[in-house]
Amino acid sequence: DSPLRAFENELGVQAPTGFWDPVGFTKDGDVEKFKRRRVTEIKHGRVAMLATMGYITPEITGKFPGYLSPAAGLKFEDIPNGLAAISKV
């Protein structure tokens, strides 16, 4: 049997494809590496969700009042969202 059979009963395995690993990260059947990759994927997904909220929230709720840099006269509302903020700070 294939080492991939070790992962056939994991959460997320669905018919008709079964366990799907197109790149072959789990071809050696190492359970510890599989668990580490799964935990890392969940962590990165959570960071991505927080980053998305950090991008969307100021558009919906507004920005902080006051100054980001009083010496430069730079207000929070003067800073655009996303990558455009890099050129302002």
Side-chain angles (χ1 to χ4, degrees), residues 23-39:
V23 183
F25 287 131
T26 57
K27 64 184 173 190
D28 61 358
D30 189 341
V31 175
E32 290 302 316
K33 286 182 183 178
F34 174 81
K35 288 181 180 178
R36 182 187 177 281
R37 285 190 186 102
R38 176 165 277 188
V39 168

Side-chain angles (χ1 to χ4, degrees), residues 48-63 80-82:
M49 287 187 277
L50 284 172
T52 301
M53 287 307 301
Y55 188 86
I56 293 172
T57 301
E59 291 289 330
I60 296 170
T61 63
K63 299 185 180 175
N81 289 344

